[in-house]
């Protein structure tokens, strides 16, 4: 249910609430550049060994799983706005604790605390978007939400390079500041939604929904593939004789491609695709870019590969969250989105193991060919998913497979 303010629409018919969340997300993302430097900070500032830093990163990844579930539970019990504020202020506090730690033990506690707060923000923000949009608006809204992250990511890289040259700990201070600014935007501008509460709200059993579990399984595979861009790509570039600085260039190229490519999604032919068809196309394009990563030997080759897999990623943005939000009961969307979201926590543990083992035993060609094959497997699974999610009364037009 939405308030009168939520019903107010703006450009492209999206609720003002969506645009407020997009703005807050962009502000938050502008400072969210600490994770790639976390291991380096632990080694350089706290004298942790490389293996110890690896264990701490794994602990962080595991902590994000209950973080998502906690965020989903709070979103359905106290509301999305309050949960977002808890997550952002908790993340800011943990970031400051890392920056202010004096010993490795103190940093360890702060890193785990950061993991426990890090994903609380996600389920309520995703749930609010579902609450204030219609089924046919959600792919655009979720895609816009993700595109804001990509756009802000271009500036985040430059800001990270500046602060990292001064002191790594300032990265965490800056990230904490952007979390608090984001919280201020949410507190001042985001309306508190009024959601009807019924007995059904207390009986949501997301783990019993086989459709959701199917999405979780496939989502984990996708997250493992996606994370290889930050794990296997730098190692591939090094193996091919390139500086790791090229990674930043390729990430900027990817973000630029996703921002400039958004008008493609508004074309009538693209808008006519239902979510499962669009994901099948996206996974296929993604596979092409991943495969090219394994055989590229020049900067141009890696640049073309980046553009291709970024277009595939653009096709996928928002689709899966649209599906998950649509199968969830209205009063249980936070829990459903949280359960799906732990795919990223599971992938954070599995992805480093898979990527490094493939590179060690078969080199870049085996690694990226395997990842491309997994992506094609996800594409081929979409028709079966489409059938499984089919409404008993109609075909899979976007409104027809909304199952409550």
């Amino acid at each position: 249910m939405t308030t009168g303010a939520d019903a107010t629409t703006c450009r492209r018919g999206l609720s003002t609430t969506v645009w407020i969340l997009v703005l807050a997300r962009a502000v938050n993302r502008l400072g969210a550049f600490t994770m790639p430097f976390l291991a380096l900070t632990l080694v350089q500032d706290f004298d942790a060994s490389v293996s110890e830093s690896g264990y701490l990163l794994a602990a962080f990844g595991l902590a994000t799983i209950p973080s998502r579930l906690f965020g989903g539970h709070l979103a359905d019990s106290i509301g999305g706005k309050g949960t977002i504020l808890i997550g952002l202020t908790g993340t800011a506090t943990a970031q400051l604790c890392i920056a202010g730690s004096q010993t490795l033990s103190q940093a360890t506690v702060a890193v785990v605390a950061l993991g426990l707060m890090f994903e609380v923000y996600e389920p309520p923000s995703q749930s609010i978007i579902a609450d204030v949009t219609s089924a046919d608006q959600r792919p655009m809204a979720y895609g816009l939400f993700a595109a804001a992250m990509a756009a802000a990511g271009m500036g985040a890289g430059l800001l990270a390079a500046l602060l990292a040259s001064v002191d790594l700990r300032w990265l965490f201070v800056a990230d904490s500041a952007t979390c608090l600014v984001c919280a201020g935007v949410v507190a001042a501008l985001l309306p508190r939604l009024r959601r009807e509460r019924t007995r059904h709200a207390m009986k949501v059993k997301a783990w019993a929904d086989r459709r959701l579990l199917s999405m979780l399984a496939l989502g984990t595979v996708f997250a493992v593939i996606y994370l290889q861009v930050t794990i296997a790509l730098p190692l591939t570039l090094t193996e091919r004789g390139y500086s790791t600085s090229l990674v930043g260039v390729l990430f900027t190229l990817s973000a630029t491609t996703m921002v400039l490519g958004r008008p493609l999604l508004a074309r009538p032919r693209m808008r006519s695709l239902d979510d499962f068809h669009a994901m099948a196309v996206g996974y296929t394009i993604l596979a092409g870019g991943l495969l090219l990563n394994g055989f590229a030997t020049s900067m141009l080759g890696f640049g073309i590969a980046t553009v291709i897999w970024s277009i595939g990623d653009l096709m996928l943005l928002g689709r899966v969250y649209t599906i998950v939000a649509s199968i969830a009961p209205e009063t249980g969307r936070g829990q459903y989105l949280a359960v799906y979201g732990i795919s990223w926590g599971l992938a954070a543990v599995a992805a480093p193991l898979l990527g490094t083992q493939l590179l060690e035993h078969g080199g870049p060609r085996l690694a990226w060919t395997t990842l491309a094959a997994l992506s094609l497997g996800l594409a081929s699974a979409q028709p079966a998913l489409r059938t499984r999610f089919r409404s008993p009364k109609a075909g899979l037009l976007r409104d027809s497979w909304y199952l409550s």
Side-chain angles (χ1 to χ4, degrees), residues 7 22 37 44 54 95 98 114 123 147 149 182 186 214 282 306 343 348 364 370:
V22 167
F37 296 90
Q44 291 187 357
Q95 296 272 20
I98 293 176
L114 178 61
M149 293 179 60
C182 182
V186 170
S214 297
T306 298
S343 57
T370 301

Side-chain angles (χ1 to χ4, degrees), residues 177-197:
T178 58
C179 282
L180 293 177
V181 172
C182 182
V185 171
V186 170
L189 301 179
L190 189 70
R192 187 176 298 276
L193 304 183
R194 296 170 184 163
R195 177 181 290 172
E196 291 182 357
R197 299 191 54 82

